[in-house]
Structures are given as C-alpha cells and as structure tokens.
Amino acid sequence: MSVTLDELLRALAAAGPGEDVSPLMDDIEALVAEDPDGSRSAVLSFADDGGVRLWLVGLLADPRDFDVLAAALADPRLRATALEGLMNQPDVDRVDAVARRLLDDADPLIRSRAAGMVAFRAGPGALDVLLPRADDPVAHVRMVLGWYLGGLGDPVAEPTLRGLLADPDDQVRAFAARGLARLNRQGSLP
C-alpha cells in the first residue's frame, strides 16, 4: 500500500525534536515532484512549520507562488529556504533579478547562494555582476565564486580565478583551481 502525501506530512508534523526526518523529506519530495499539481492543496494546507511549508512551496515550482517565496526573503529565518524555492521557479528573468539584488546582501550565506543562482541561470551580464564579488570580505563567498566563475565557461573569468589562487584562504584557493580546471575542460582557455 502506498503512502499519501497527506500521511507523510502528518508524520513529519508528528516527528519529535532531533528525530531523523530525512527519509520522510525524501519521500515527500518524490511525491511532490511526481505530481506537483495534485500535491498543491496538501502543501498549501501544511501549517506545522513555516520553513518546511516554504520548502514544499518551492518544490511545487508553480509560478503562482513566486511572490510567496520572494516575500519570505524578508524573514531572516526563511531566507535561505526561500532562495532554494526560487531556484525552481520557471520565470528565469524574475529569479535572476531577485538573485542579483541579493549579491550585496548583509548575510554572506545569502550572497553566496545568490551568486550560485546568477551563475546557474547564466543570464546576460552574469559574469559582469559576479566578477566584482571576488573581493568579498567573507572567504566562503569567494570560495563559491571560484567554482561558479569557472562554470560559466567564459575565459574573461580567468584573471579573476588566477587572482583567487593567491587568496589567503586555502578553500578559496582550492575552489579557484577547480574553477580554472572547469574552464580548461570546457575548452575556454587556450
């Protein structure tokens, strides 16, 4: 007998603190991915945890939910989840515009995720807005930029990546090297 989304959501709501809910989350994600339209009412009525509900709304990838996800960016507890949900939204231009606005956010986690979104969407001018972020004061942001810049496949990123090879942080240097390797694999470098 197969389990319904409603049953999985009730089990998730009943889970105690510290209980491993990752198998439940995996099953929920699979059911929502299989039938986003049919899952919508169960997802929207789930009220146990705002973060989980927002995560579920993100899984739906329904354009009607764009504003719900964008509004959640104002809540410090929900911002990272909202960004993840926005990645699933089909309106690439709107997602890119939101991500670009967050490149200068006060929270380095948000800046690094926004950089990933801009790089993943690779819209016009993505490289132009990402290259200046290589001077971010937080090593983690510079580190992920090393990876993302290489993934864009544009040799214009090479000097910035080479500069990151001299970064004081070893993780930044390692990811800059990986970014350069990605450029080489794509045949972007001579």
Side-chain angles (χ1 to χ4, degrees), residues 78-119:
L78 300 175
R79 297 180 87 209
T81 305
L83 272 176
E84 287 178 28
L86 283 169
M87 277 296 291
N88 296 327
Q89 284 289 302
D91 190 335
V92 174
D93 293 334
R94 282 181 81 191
V95 171
D96 188 60
V98 169
R100 288 175 189 230
R101 284 193 302 268
L102 295 171
L103 289 171
D104 292 318
D105 195 83
D107 183 342
L109 176 63
I110 298 299
R111 289 195 307 272
S112 64
R113 288 189 178 187
M117 290 172 71
V118 170

Side-chain angles (χ1 to χ4, degrees), residues 38-54:
S39 303
R40 187 168 177 76
S41 64
V43 165
L44 294 178
S45 64
F46 183 72
D48 187 62
D49 178 304
V52 173
R53 181 175 181 276
L54 192 63

Side-chain angles (χ1 to χ4, degrees), residues 12 25 53 62 67 90 96 121 130 144 160-161 173:
L12 182 62
M25 301 290 270
R53 181 175 181 276
D62 190 311
D67 292 333
D96 188 60
R121 299 293 183 177
L130 291 176
V144 298
T160 300
L161 288 168
R173 292 191 304 271

Side-chain angles (χ1 to χ4, degrees), residues 84-189:
E84 287 178 28
L86 283 169
M87 277 296 291
N88 296 327
Q89 284 289 302
D91 190 335
V92 174
D93 293 334
R94 282 181 81 191
V95 171
D96 188 60
V98 169
R100 288 175 189 230
R101 284 193 302 268
L102 295 171
L103 289 171
D104 292 318
D105 195 83
D107 183 342
L109 176 63
I110 298 299
R111 289 195 307 272
S112 64
R113 288 189 178 187
M117 290 172 71
V118 170
F120 179 75
R121 299 293 183 177
L127 193 61
D128 295 333
V129 298
L130 291 176
L131 286 174
R133 278 29 184 212
D135 292 332
D136 196 280
V138 176
H140 177 76
V141 178
R142 296 190 311 274
M143 178 190 79
V144 298
L145 275 169
W147 178 254
Y148 295 140
L149 289 173
L152 287 171
D154 190 326
V156 171
E158 182 186 6
T160 300
L161 288 168
R162 292 208 181 278
L164 289 173
L165 289 174
D167 195 273
D169 185 277
D170 14 335
Q171 291 284 20
V172 173
R173 292 191 304 271
F175 275 78
R178 290 177 183 151
L180 281 168
R182 289 176 85 188
L183 278 176
N184 282 329
R185 277 194 305 275
Q186 294 173 28
S188 301
L189 295 179

